[in-house]
Amino acid sequence: MIADAEGRPERWGAGPLGTATNNVGELTALERLLEAVDPGTPMQVRMDSQYAMKAVTQWLPGWKRNGWKTAAGKPVANRELVERIDELLAEREVDFVYVPAHQVGGDPLNAIADQAASDAATTQRAAGTALGDQEMPVPAPARASTTRARPTARKTSSAAKSPASGAGSGKPRTIKAKFPGRCPCGRPYAAGTPIMKREQGWGHPDCSPVV
């Protein structure tokens, strides 16, 4: 997610990583953001991942001095990504700011970026401005508010049509997630976890009301 100096969103992008940790996802997002901005452009990077931010702002110098070993003497995780980010930062003036995730009234750009990542994990499809997707992802709380204020006919996704537990019994349907994703409540879910169609998207069966 790239915004102008006034905080207005201009460009965004998201894509699937297959089976990967959250830390890999956060570092990959940072790498691609830096690659998308011309060297010499002052930047403020707002992140909700303390691991990714500390990795490149606090721990990196020590890792390099120690031959890419942690203080405990173990190999640094995700070294290739961290090294690439280090190269990109050398050409850029970047100010890192930590913003908490999933907060009511929290950082709006972070909420959009988080929703884009969640959608990509669920659909396993790359999306974004460069691919012709001009509309920004709408964070789940905003979607819920819009739906309540202006009811519309809902389209059933192909996943919701798949056979699932409770079909034909009047009970809410659940399926097993094919890929990792994030519930509208903010908690992630792993592949194979039972999930259910929500008003705001796919998520845990014990969270908000079903669609």
Side-chain angles (χ1 to χ4, degrees), residues 18 20 22 115 117-124 159 175-198 200-207:
N22 286 344
Q115 188 63 52
S118 179
D119 290 345
T122 300
T123 64
Q124 290 295 290
I175 64 172
K176 289 188 177 181
K178 292 184 178 180
F179 307 99
R182 187 178 295 277
C183 178
C185 75
R187 293 183 294 144
Y189 56 78
T193 301
I195 57 175
M196 183 180 295
K197 182 66 175 176
R198 300 289 174 187
Q200 308 96 326
W202 290 91
H204 304 110
D206 58 348
C207 292

Side-chain angles (χ1 to χ4, degrees), residues 4-73:
D4 63 16
E6 302 301 322
R8 293 184 292 261
E10 290 186 335
R11 290 179 282 157
W12 68 279
L17 292 176
T19 302
T21 65
N22 286 344
N23 290 340
V24 168
E26 297 287 354
L27 289 172
T28 301
L30 175 58
E31 174 196 26
R32 294 179 182 175
L33 172 64
L34 295 173
E35 289 175 337
V37 178
D38 294 333
T41 304
M43 299 173 60
Q44 182 187 81
V45 176
R46 306 171 72 82
M47 306 185 69
D48 63 20
S49 170
Q50 295 207 42
Y51 163 80
M53 189 167 70
K54 288 181 178 180
V56 300
T57 62
Q58 297 182 26
W59 304 331
L60 179 56
W63 288 343
K64 293 167 72 174
R65 286 195 305 268
N66 294 338
W68 292 98
K69 296 290 182 66
T70 67

Side-chain angles (χ1 to χ4, degrees), residues 27-203:
L27 289 172
T28 301
L30 175 58
E31 174 196 26
R32 294 179 182 175
L33 172 64
L34 295 173
E35 289 175 337
V37 178
D38 294 333
T41 304
M43 299 173 60
Q44 182 187 81
V45 176
R46 306 171 72 82
M47 306 185 69
D48 63 20
S49 170
Q50 295 207 42
Y51 163 80
M53 189 167 70
K54 288 181 178 180
V56 300
T57 62
Q58 297 182 26
W59 304 331
L60 179 56
W63 288 343
K64 293 167 72 174
R65 286 195 305 268
N66 294 338
W68 292 98
K69 296 290 182 66
T70 67
K74 297 180 179 180
V76 172
N78 311 313
R79 174 178 169 177
E80 290 185 2
L81 274 171
V82 176
E83 284 187 300
R84 174 57 180 156
I85 292 169
D86 186 33
E87 293 173 1
L88 293 167
L89 288 174
E91 304 173 338
R92 291 164 174 79
E93 179 183 341
V94 181
D95 176 32
F96 286 91
V97 177
Y98 173 72
V99 292
H102 317 302
Q103 302 292 310
V104 175
D107 187 89
L109 296 176
N110 179 262
I112 296 172
D114 184 73
Q115 188 63 52
S118 179
D119 290 345
T122 300
T123 64
Q124 290 295 290
R125 183 183 72 86
T129 311
L131 297 175
D133 298 302
Q134 298 302 321
E135 293 187 6
M136 294 285 170
V138 180
R143 286 179 178 173
S145 175
T146 301
T147 302
R148 287 193 296 269
R150 187 176 57 188
T152 58
R154 299 188 183 96
K155 294 182 179 179
T156 305
S157 68
S158 59
K161 292 179 182 177
S162 301
S165 62
S169 64
K171 297 180 180 179
R173 295 182 177 183
T174 62
I175 64 172
K176 289 188 177 181
K178 292 184 178 180
F179 307 99
R182 187 178 295 277
C183 178
C185 75
R187 293 183 294 144
Y189 56 78
T193 301
I195 57 175
M196 183 180 295
K197 182 66 175 176
R198 300 289 174 187
E199 188 174 80
Q200 308 96 326
W202 290 91

